[in-house]
């Protein structure tokens, strides 16, 4: 991840980071580097320009795009990846786009000339950039990604689009949220007076759809069996891809095409997204009125997206209204009134439909869970439905992509039924347990310390809020959750300072007679204890309900062979691996995999017993140690050097599922997460990589049946989309505490509520205090976690770090840039460190050794 850092220290005219990059570059070919990352001599932008806004405010920054004056409507979008896809979305036509993500440009821009199988640009949503200008807080003039072809700045210059960095995007976002979207001008002449906005045309007064719609009829997926007519109001290319790959022959027509009279030739009608004021598209609205009022014998299914929803809403009797600042981004929660589900959706619109005047044949189908605005309508009896959000994604989550299947399935059936979405199986009832035993962690040690104190304290608070009597077992006297102060919001009703072992837990069960138990808040110790109690029949014996993730699911995630089998059931990627309970069988499996390889221990704390084995002698030595602390070891293919990425996932008993935080290890795979520098959000993943892993996380968590919170860890190949799932922790982990503090989303608090059977949509958003907890935070800052080691206190211990955790603590730095976040964390972890600056001048061999064999020594 060093490629995302700009030079932050210089000696003799040479930056430390650039020097490091040159060392690494010797491993790869020069031609490969030139195509996928910037050269070391690229300079940051120096030209200056000013953004003037309609409210009289001005912001001056560095111009990194086309250095020309432009005008447009200033809007903002939330999201942490996906700037190539966002910039080519036609719905941004005529706007000056502000991106809230902390760093932009870090993974470059893909090849604009590469085409997909449908003849469309493979990595973009149209054939051009649509915003007039781009506003970012931090532009990375250095980029590095295997799929990159150029920098973002070079692309903007090619397209004649302005780019401005070094701007306080949080302040701009706040202004827009409070005052609504407003006009703006990026001015390159610093001596020019402030613009007269009364003379600047609002792009919403232009017929933007006419500007971006196709001018000719085009056919995609020719020969496919399902014939769909698509009205192009500014259609994103991913809509074409999603329909055609599902068997549609898509005939794309201009926005004002007289399609109603031609529908006898087609199986269904699709109306696309697009920019601007929907009321300007009078021809389309009139054609839709004709289409939906046809005789029953001529009915064909209809699906509209974004602007398509607004046009259909007007045709159905609704009224289009401009939203104050619009809904643009990748994390908008939407409620489905037909099924009760909540989806996380990507959106890009400035208008919505007031449904108070909808015709009696229509009903509201989707509603925004944040602001209550309409997100889609459906006909009461005919197969017509719309979505204000973007099921095709790109960028953003693809949770609602199934709607293309719903639409095309309707096109294959006799059109006599209304649209019905597949329903998930009914959720179990909310627990009736009144007295709950909460298992804390074991004694404070490496791998279980303050992070589980945080989780337990939050869980007690949540359980007490629901009126439950809480019995706590925790041997740690000096902890927050065992605090008996009456003023504490996390005070348990009964506290037992006893070891969390099956014997002691059973004694407390006999005495307190709880009717429910929570075992996911105490780390690996509590989980292992619960598994043993379950296998010994203790829960059945005393009629105790396990709240949250069932113990059978815990076993599926902890037993490495069962875990592998479960992932294979859904064809998910896991490294070639074999689980064994004796050393000789492990050695035989190692011969199949080859060396080097990784061994992991089942049911182990802090990666204990794991490590890289270079040969059979090392396997025998490390395997014997691992089997002395665990009943089972996993022998798996080594992916040392791959990126390590993890997601914190929350799922309720109603199958609503969100990823609250994603994190990327600064160190490549091979270093335990507890010993690695970690950044949130990830800083080197593209939209495709980010959402590929997010989709996988949700699929895996649903298949396993986890209820509450869990953590999923990946190995991601640094130069392809190849990935493997490393593990799933079906409990609160160290990373969960970090993610909670990094995002403001109280994972343990929410997980405790979900363990009771309460749906996510009924849990209050702890940040806003108004909306609900079924949402995904979008950060406009960067969090850096750095571990702290104290190896000098342990005589003879190796300072090298690896897959078994050795750190005794960690710090967290928060900043608007990578450099600020990293510098803060470094200074906190050790007072003697001034920042990202070496105290020792390495020889080339020493530097290579430090890069190849990491240690816990920070003082060099």
């Amino acid at each position: 991840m060093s490629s995302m850092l700009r030079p932050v220290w210089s000696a003799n005219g040479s930056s430390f980071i650039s020097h490091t990059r040159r060392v690494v570059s010797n491993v790869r070919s020069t031609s490969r580097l030139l195509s996928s990352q910037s050269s070391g001599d690229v300079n940051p932008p120096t030209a200056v320009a000013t953004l003037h806004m309609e409210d009289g405010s001005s912001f001056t920054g560095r111009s990194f795009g086309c250095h020309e004056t432009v005008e447009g409507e200033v809007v903002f979008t939330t999201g942490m990846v996906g700037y190539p896809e966002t910039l080519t979305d036609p719905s941004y036509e005529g706007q000056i786009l502000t991106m809230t993500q902390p760093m932009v440009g870090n993974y470059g821009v893909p090849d604009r000339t590469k085409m997909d199988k449908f003849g469309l640009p493979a990595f973009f949503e149209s054939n051009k950039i649509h915003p007039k200008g781009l506003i970012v807080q931090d532009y990375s003039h250095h980029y590095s990604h295997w799929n990159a072809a150029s920098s973002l700045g070079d692309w903007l210059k090619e397209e004649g689009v302005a780019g401005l960095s070094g701007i306080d995007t949080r302040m701009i976002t706040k202004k827009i949220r409070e005052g609504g979207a407003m006009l703006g001008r990026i001015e390159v002449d610093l001596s020019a007076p402030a613009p007269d906005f009364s003379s600047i045309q609002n792009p919403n007064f232009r017929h933007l759809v006419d500007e971006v719609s196709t001018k000719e009829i085009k056919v995609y997926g020719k020969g496919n069996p399902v014939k769909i007519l698509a009205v192009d109001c500014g259609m994103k290319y991913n809509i074409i891809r999603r329909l055609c790959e599902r068997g549609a022959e898509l005939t794309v027509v201009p926005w004002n095409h007289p399609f109603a009279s031609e529908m006898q030739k087609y199986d269904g009608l699709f109306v696309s997204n697009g920019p601007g004021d929907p009321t300007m598209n009078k021809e389309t609205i009139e054609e839709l009125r004709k289409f939906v009022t046809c005789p029953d014998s001529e009915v064909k299914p209809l699906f509209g997206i974004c602007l398509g929803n607004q046009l259909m809403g007007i045709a159905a009797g609704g009224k289009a209204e401009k939203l104050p600042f619009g809904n643009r981004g990748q994390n908008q929660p939407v409620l489905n009134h037909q099924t009760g589900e909540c989806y996380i959706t990507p959106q890009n619109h400035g208008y919505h439909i007031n449904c108070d005047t909808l015709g009696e044949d229509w009903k509201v189908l989707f509603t925004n869970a944040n602001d209550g605005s309409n997100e889609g309508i459906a006909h009461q009896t005919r197969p017509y439905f719309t979505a204000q959000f973007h099921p095709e994604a790109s960028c953003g989550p693809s949770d609602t992509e199934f709607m293309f299947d719903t639409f095309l399935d309707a096109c294959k059936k006799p059109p006599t039924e209304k649209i019905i979405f597949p329903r998930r199986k009914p959720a179990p009832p909310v627990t009736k347990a009144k007295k709950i035993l909460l298992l804390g962690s074991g004694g404070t040690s490496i791998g279980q310390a303050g992070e589980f104190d945080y989780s337990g304290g939050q869980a007690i608070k949540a359980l007490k809020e629901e009126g439950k009597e809480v019995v706590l077992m925790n041997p740690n006297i000096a902890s927050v959750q065992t605090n008996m102060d009456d003023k504490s919001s996390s005070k348990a009703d009964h506290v037992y300072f006893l070891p969390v072992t099956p014997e002691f837990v059973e004694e407390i069960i006999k005495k307190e007679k709880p009717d429910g138990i929570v075992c996911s808040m105490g780390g690996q110790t509590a989980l292992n204890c619960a598994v043993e109690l379950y296998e010994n029949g203790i829960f059945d014996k005393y009629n105790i309900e396990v709240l949250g993730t069932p113990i059978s699911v815990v076993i599926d995630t902890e037993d490495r062979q069962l875990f592998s089998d479960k992932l294979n059931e859904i064809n998910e990627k896991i490294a070639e691996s074999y689980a064994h309970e004796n050393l000789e069988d492990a050695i035989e499996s190692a011969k199949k995999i080859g060396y080097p390889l990784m061994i992991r221990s089942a049911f182990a704390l802090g990666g204990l017993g794991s490590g890289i084995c270079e040969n059979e002698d090392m396997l025998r030595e490390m395997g014997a140690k691992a089997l002395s602390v665990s009943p089972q070891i996993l022998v798996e293919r080594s992916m040392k050097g791959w990126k390590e990425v993890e997601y914190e996932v929350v799922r309720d008993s109603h199958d609503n599922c969100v990823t609250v935080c994603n994190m990327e290890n600064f160190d490549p795979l091979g270093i335990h997460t507890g010993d690695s520098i970690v950044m949130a959000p990830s800083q080197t993943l593209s939209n495709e990589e980010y959402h590929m892993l997010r989709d996988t996380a949700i699929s895996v968590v649903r298949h396993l049946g986890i209820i509450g919170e869990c953590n999923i860890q990946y190995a991601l190949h640094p130069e392809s989309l190849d990935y493997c799932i490393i593990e799933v922790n079906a409990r609160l982990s160290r990373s969960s505490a970090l993610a909670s503090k990094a995002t403001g989303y109280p994972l343990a608090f929410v997980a405790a509520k979900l363990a009771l059977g309460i749906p996510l949509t009924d849990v209050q958003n702890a940040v806003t205090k108004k909306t609900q907890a079924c949402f995904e935070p979008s950060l406009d800052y960067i969090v850096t976690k750095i571990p702290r080691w104290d190896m000098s206190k342990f005589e003879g211990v190796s300072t090298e770090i690896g897959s078994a955790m050795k750190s005794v603590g960690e710090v967290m730095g928060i900043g608007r840039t990578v450099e600020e976040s990293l510098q803060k964390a470094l200074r906190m972890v050790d007072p003697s460190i001034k920042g990202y600056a070496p105290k020792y001048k390495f020889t080339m061999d020493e530097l290579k050794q430090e890069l190849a064999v990491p240690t816990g020594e920070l003082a060099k």
Side-chain angles (χ1 to χ4, degrees), residues 715-752:
L716 176 65
H717 193 277
E719 293 190 354
S720 74
L721 292 173
D722 191 17
Y723 71 90
C724 287
I725 297 168
I726 300 172
E727 65 178 357
V728 172
N729 290 309
R731 56 175 172 82
L732 275 292
S733 65
R734 278 173 303 280
S735 299
S736 306
L738 172 65
S740 297
K741 295 166 187 174
T743 63
Y745 191 108
L747 284 164
F749 180 88
V750 172

Side-chain angles (χ1 to χ4, degrees), residues 750-770:
V750 172
K753 297 258 185 173
L754 303 188
L756 299 175
I758 300 171
L760 262 174
T761 48
D762 288 351
V763 180
Q764 188 182 65
N765 181 334
V767 178
T768 65
K769 304 294 185 184
K770 296 179 181 179

Side-chain angles (χ1 to χ4, degrees), residues 280-571:
M280 287 190 169
N281 304 281
K282 292 180 172 53
E283 293 92 330
T284 316
I285 295 169
E286 185 56 34
E287 288 295 311
L288 284 169
R289 287 195 180 107
K290 296 176 185 176
F291 175 84
V292 299
T293 55
C294 67
D296 290 343
S297 60
E298 298 176 11
V299 169
K300 300 290 177 70
L302 175 147
F303 183 23
I305 287 177
C306 192
L307 185 70
N309 168 65
Q310 296 162 20
L311 299 177
M312 188 62 257
I314 295 171
K319 181 181 177 182
E321 297 176 345
K322 197 172 193 311
L323 292 165
F325 51 84
N327 286 328
R328 299 177 177 90
Q330 302 176 27
N331 60 342
Q332 291 288 331
V334 169
L335 297 171
N336 183 332
H337 293 290
Q338 190 182 98
T339 66
E341 298 166 349
C342 187
Y343 311 123
I344 304 301
T345 66
Q347 302 194 10
N348 179 12
H349 60 274
Y351 292 79
H352 83 120
I353 293 298
N354 184 328
C355 295
D356 292 344
T357 57
L358 272 183
E360 61 181 14
D361 290 334
W362 295 84
K363 63 180 179 180
V364 173
L365 180 58
F366 303 114
T367 298
N368 189 294
N370 284 343
D371 63 12
S373 61
N374 173 256
E375 292 282 356
I377 60 176
H379 197 275
Q380 299 272 24
T381 58
R382 291 182 171 184
Y384 308 150
F385 76 109
T386 63
Q388 184 61 61
F389 47 90
H390 286 265
E392 82 287 351
S394 190
C395 53
S398 57
D399 298 12
T400 56
E401 190 178 303
F402 69 88
M403 292 182 184
F404 291 107
D405 298 303
T406 301
F407 171 56
L408 293 179
D409 285 347
C411 293
K412 299 172 187 176
K413 300 175 183 176
T416 56
E417 299 178 0
K418 64 181 182 180
I419 292 292
I420 299 177
F421 292 108
R423 292 180 180 270
R424 301 167 185 168
K425 63 180 181 181
V430 174
T431 181
K432 295 181 180 179
K434 296 180 179 179
K435 191 173 188 179
I436 296 173
L437 175 60
L438 176 66
L439 300 184
S441 66
T444 300
S445 64
I446 292 177
Q448 55 178 24
E451 60 270 31
F452 298 115
D453 183 24
Y454 169 82
S455 299
Q458 289 283 309
I460 294 170
K461 182 180 177 182
L463 295 173
K464 295 290 290 181
E465 195 174 276
E466 294 299 323
K468 306 301 181 183
E469 184 179 355
V470 180
V471 180
L472 172 67
M473 283 189 67
N474 190 325
N476 300 304
I477 296 175
S479 67
V480 173
Q481 63 181 268
T482 55
N483 185 2
M484 296 304 292
D485 188 342
D486 290 335
K487 297 179 181 179
S488 173
S489 61
S490 58
K491 176 190 173 184
D493 296 284
H494 314 279
V495 179
Y496 290 90
F497 296 100
L498 294 171
V500 182
T501 63
E503 297 77 20
F504 281 106
V505 172
E506 185 174 5
E507 290 302 314
I508 299 304
I509 290 174
K510 290 177 184 178
K511 180 178 180 182
E512 292 290 344
K513 296 179 174 57
D515 41 14
I517 186 169
V518 174
C519 49
S520 59
M521 304 291 172
Q524 196 67 49
T525 296
L527 217 56
N528 289 349
C529 177
V531 169
E532 193 169 339
L533 290 166
Y534 170 80
E535 292 177 337
N536 292 337
I538 300 300
F539 298 142
D540 290 337
K541 178 180 178 182
Y542 296 98
N543 195 28
I544 294 177
E545 180 184 2
V546 176
L547 303 177
T549 301
I551 299 299
S552 59
V553 174
V554 171
I555 294 172
D556 285 341
T557 62
E558 293 292 326
D559 184 294
R560 304 305 299 189
Q561 187 59 55
L562 292 177
F563 181 61
S564 178
D565 293 343
K566 293 295 286 187
L567 292 185
N568 286 331
E569 288 174 7
I570 54 173
N571 297 317

